[in-house]
């Protein structure tokens, strides 16, 4: 019996290693971006019934596990307030150092509001560079202005 979505995530990660799959292969099978598909496999998005069936087949999941993929998850996957994983910590550090700059520039350009993480897309690519390859991340979210009332 499965009691939470985290158990299904563990099953997916185990099968991914066992089958030597890449997230891009899973995304191609699901028909979504590798970024969204990875987030969904890690328990942060909800698959449709058809998408869940594809993921279930790819990772040899039971019908019960596949059903869990279709339930709206509890969002937020970090186990601590300040992340301890070095890569995630560097993103946290980036927001700590440049967050106020990003906020200031977004407000100057768009006004008082936020960038949506719901109406959102992300693209992560390798950018070859002779001094060492770079991570190219593009985050694109709809601007949502605060309303007055």
């Amino acid at each position: 019996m499965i009691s939470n979505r985290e158990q299904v995530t563990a099953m997916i990660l185990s099968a991914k290693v066992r089958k030597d799959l890449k997230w891009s292969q899973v995304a191609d099978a699901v028909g979504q971006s590798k970024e969204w598909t990875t987030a969904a496999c890690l328990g942060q998005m909800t698959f449709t019934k058809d998408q869940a069936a594809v993921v279930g087949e790819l990772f040899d999941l039971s019908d019960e596990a596949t059903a869990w993929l279709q339930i709206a998850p509890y969002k937020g996957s970090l186990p601590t307030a300040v992340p301890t994983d070095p890569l995630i910590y560097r993103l946290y550090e980036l927001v700590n150092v440049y967050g106020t700059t990003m906020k200031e520039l977004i407000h100057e350009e768009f006004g008082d509001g936020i960038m949506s993480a719901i109406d959102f897309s992300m693209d992560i690519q390798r950018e070859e560079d002779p001094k060492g390859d770079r991570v190219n991340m593009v985050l694109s979210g709809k601007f949502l202005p605060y309303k007055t009332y």
Side-chain angles (χ1 to χ4, degrees):
M1 182 171 133
I2 299 169
S3 60
N4 61 56
R5 180 58 177 82
E6 290 77 22
Q7 291 175 308
V8 180
T9 297
M11 292 175 199
I12 288 171
L13 291 172
S14 178
K16 180 183 178 291
V17 170
R18 185 175 68 254
K19 293 180 162 216
D20 192 30
L21 290 170
K22 298 282 186 205
W23 290 121
S24 58
Q25 294 171 301
V26 179
D28 288 344
V30 169
Q32 297 293 326
S33 72
K34 72 179 180 299
E35 294 81 8
W36 185 90
T37 302
T38 303
C41 286
L42 296 178
Q44 295 302 301
M45 300 294 163
T46 307
F47 285 111
T48 65
K49 185 174 185 169
D50 290 343
Q51 291 168 336
V54 170
V55 171
E57 187 174 323
L58 274 174
F59 293 117
D60 301 323
L61 300 176
S62 68
D63 289 344
E64 180 185 14
T66 301
W68 275 94
L69 298 175
Q70 300 167 65
I71 296 171
Y74 182 86
K75 304 276 188 183
S77 60
L78 300 180
T80 58
V82 177
T84 57
D85 177 275
L87 190 142
I88 296 172
Y89 176 79
R90 289 299 180 214
L91 295 171
Y92 173 81
E93 179 183 44
L94 187 145
V95 172
N96 269 328
V97 173
Y98 293 104
T100 54
T101 300
M102 292 175 194
K103 177 180 169 53
E104 184 67 22
L105 292 172
I106 289 169
H107 287 177
E108 183 175 272
E109 181 68 26
F110 293 92
D112 189 13
I114 62 171
M115 182 178 82
S116 176
I118 296 170
D119 190 343
F120 177 83
S121 65
M122 170 177 32
D123 184 41
I124 300 174
Q125 300 291 327
R126 175 186 295 258
E127 186 179 307
E128 293 188 16
D129 187 299
K131 296 182 224 165
D133 288 356
R134 304 182 67 80
V135 177
N136 186 330
M137 292 178 29
V138 176
L139 310 176
S140 178
K142 180 179 180 181
F143 180 74
L144 302 172
Y146 284 104
K147 295 181 180 181
T148 57
Y149 52 94

